[in-house]
Amino acid sequence: MSPWLIGFSAFVLYPMLASLYYSFTHYDLLSTPRWIGLANYQFMFTKDQYFWLSLRNTAWIIVVGVPLQIIFAVITATLLTWPRKGIKVYRTLYFLPSMAPAVAASLAFV
């Protein structure tokens, strides 16, 4: 379990905690972070004209985009499992784009 804990700490936990810390600072990558407290959040909720638009767009993606992706995935999976004439051609055409990079990389190393 220790490799998982190391990976989780390095790639999930530390970035989450660092982003939380940096959200309370003024940080421009050229100077050291300067603590400003809740000023970033105050600006975001009161003066940032794009915050509510981005929140609306995110909600739209969640409410409309995710269900459409799930419906499309279920329909595609159903079509791939039906025993019909020509299903092997459909499967080949469907999976070909995912195989092309692997084949191209293999040929590049030959």
Side-chain angles (χ1 to χ4, degrees):
M1 188 147 158
S2 122
W4 182 87
L5 286 174
I6 293 169
F8 177 78
S9 299
F11 298 114
V12 177
L13 189 61
Y14 173 72
M16 284 175 47
L17 295 175
S19 66
L20 179 66
Y21 168 72
Y22 288 132
S23 74
F24 292 106
T25 64
H26 175 73
Y27 185 48
D28 59 3
L29 293 176
L30 298 176
S31 59
T32 59
R34 185 173 45 90
W35 185 265
I36 58 172
L38 294 173
N40 285 333
Y41 292 100
Q42 183 181 13
F43 173 78
M44 179 178 65
F45 288 122
T46 59
K47 296 182 181 120
D48 189 6
Q49 61 182 347
Y50 298 114
F51 173 71
W52 297 108
L53 177 65
S54 67
L55 197 64
R56 188 191 77 197
N57 290 344
T58 302
W60 174 260
I61 289 170
I62 292 170
V63 170
V64 175
V66 172
L68 284 177
Q69 287 179 354
I70 292 172
I71 290 168
F72 179 74
V74 168
I75 290 171
T76 304
T78 303
L79 288 174
L80 287 171
T81 58
W82 277 353
R84 300 189 115 190
K85 186 178 178 179
I87 193 67
K88 291 182 180 179
V89 174
Y90 178 74
R91 286 180 183 163
T92 302
L93 291 175
Y94 183 78
F95 289 115
L96 192 61
S98 65
M99 293 304 297
V103 171
S106 299
L107 290 175
F109 285 109
V110 169

